[in-house]
Structure formats: structure tokens, C-alpha cells
Amino acid sequence: MSRKSVFPGLKRLLLSPRPDAGSQDIEAMRARALFQAPEGAMAERSRGLVEFLKQVALFETLDRRELGQVARVVHERDYADGELISEEGKPAAALFILRRGVVEVVRRGAAAQEVPLALLEPPASFEESAALAPGVMRWFSVRARGPASLLALGKSDLDALSAHFPALANKVLRRLAGIMAMRFKILIDAEILRESAEQGEGKP
């Protein structure tokens, strides 16, 4: 894990060492599928919100004028060190984009202990499905590791864009669908590997 991550936005995978290296690789694929910024997103930070949005994979097909329109509908909030951003088992309300700082993704394990999954840094995004269908139950929690700033884009924000800027909204929705399809494919590949590993272990 000491090698620099090749996935922009995915600062570090927090997976406990396992005796079965194959299982660890499968868990790593799952974490990357859900939390990495897809290829094409730049990792460096910029000052202005519009400049930052240019770095986000979801908006990389938009021109500067369109980015300005998106900047007017996204909501930004600052979080203190240790503050919970989203909680496992509760309905998701919006897509989050990490603008500044680092956040930790965790999941409840056995005996209600938290299992760390990943550290994220800008311009990572998560809970993309909530921008299309709010209310989907979260299966992980996200907590700030130090001061952090995040942007939120909810279904109502996308609806507003659709009403006033339909061509822009269609670009965002097409890109969002592509990102979710890509991550879903990686999850399927990871599940196939898991089943293959289990079948291999069951052989005499």
C-alpha cells in the first residue's frame, strides 16, 4: 500500500491485511469501484468553484458557462474533524464531491466495530445514485479526517437544471449514468472473482 495510488481522489485504501491475498484484491476492487474518481478527473486543487468543478469527472464535458450554472446550484458545507458526513443505514439525500480536506469511509463490521475502507481526497465523489433517486439506504459512513469542505448536488438541484438548462442537465445525466455503469461493472467483476475464489477453495 506504500505505492502511490493511481486513482485520483482515492487517497488510500484502508483494508486490513488478510491471509488470502485474493480476497484482499477483491475488496480493493470494490472500494475503488465505489469511491475512486473515474479516470479523467484531475487531482490538483484550484481556487475558484468553477475552476474546481472543471476537475470533477462528472462535469468534465461542460464548458465554462455551463460550469458557472452548476456552481449556482451546488451546496457547499464545511465539516470539522471527526464530524459525520453520511451515516450507514440512513437514506442518502445527495451526491457529495470532496472539495477540500480528507474523509474516511467506514462500514460497521462484526460486533458493531467500524471497518475502515478508504481515505478520499479531492476531487473524489460518492453517493452518485442519490442524485437520481434519493432515499437509497447507505451501506457505509463517511467522516471528516481533519477540516473538510464538500459540495452536495441533490435530485432537486438536477431538476432545477433540467427545468432551466435542459441541454446542460442532459450532459450531466449522461455522464452520471456512464460513471455509475463503469462502477457497477467493476463491482460485478469483483463479485465474479469472489465466487471463483470461493469455488477454488472448495475444491479437494
Side-chain angles (χ1 to χ4, degrees):
M1 299 303 297
S2 60
R3 184 163 56 88
K4 182 177 176 59
S5 173
V6 296
F7 299 100
L10 179 61
K11 182 176 179 65
R12 183 183 175 192
L13 287 174
L14 303 176
L15 298 170
S16 301
R18 299 188 179 193
D20 181 358
S23 296
Q24 187 173 8
D25 289 343
I26 293 168
E27 292 301 323
M29 287 183 66
R30 287 173 172 164
R32 291 189 183 102
L34 291 165
F35 307 122
Q36 76 188 47
E39 186 177 356
M42 298 180 292
E44 61 199 41
R45 301 176 186 177
S46 299
R47 291 183 178 179
L49 180 54
V50 169
E51 290 301 314
F52 171 76
L53 292 175
K54 287 170 61 177
Q55 303 175 25
V56 179
L58 180 58
F59 308 123
E60 64 183 11
T61 62
L62 306 184
D63 59 32
R64 190 171 185 82
R65 179 182 58 82
E66 292 170 327
L67 290 170
Q69 292 163 346
V70 172
R72 286 192 284 271
V73 300
V74 295
H75 312 278
E76 185 168 8
R77 180 182 167 185
D78 294 329
Y79 293 83
D81 181 26
E83 187 174 356
L84 202 61
I85 297 164
S86 61
E87 186 174 357
E88 179 180 349
K90 293 191 175 180
L95 154 70
F96 286 101
I97 303 166
L98 180 57
R99 187 179 185 191
R100 283 185 289 268
V102 174
V103 299
E104 182 181 35
V105 182
V106 300
R107 187 179 185 187
R108 283 194 297 268
Q113 293 181 339
E114 284 191 346
V115 178
L117 299 179
L119 289 179
L120 308 182
E121 60 185 3
S125 62
F126 53 94
E127 295 189 4
E128 283 87 353
S129 61
L132 298 176
V136 176
M137 290 298 177
R138 302 181 177 113
W139 68 271
F140 57 86
S141 298
V142 180
R143 182 180 293 106
R145 288 279 296 268
S149 176
L150 287 96
L151 304 175
L153 181 71
K155 185 178 183 301
S156 61
D157 303 315
L158 281 177
D159 289 343
L161 286 177
S162 296
H164 300 288
F165 309 104
L168 164 59
N170 284 338
K171 286 184 181 181
V172 174
L173 289 171
R174 284 197 300 269
R175 184 62 181 141
L176 182 58
I179 290 172
M180 293 178 65
M182 180 272 293
R183 295 187 174 181
F184 185 57
K185 180 181 183 302
I186 297 176
L187 284 173
I188 291 176
D189 290 343
E191 188 64 18
I192 291 173
L193 284 176
R194 182 190 65 80
E195 292 179 356
S196 298
E198 289 179 351
Q199 290 174 0
E201 291 173 357
K203 292 181 179 179

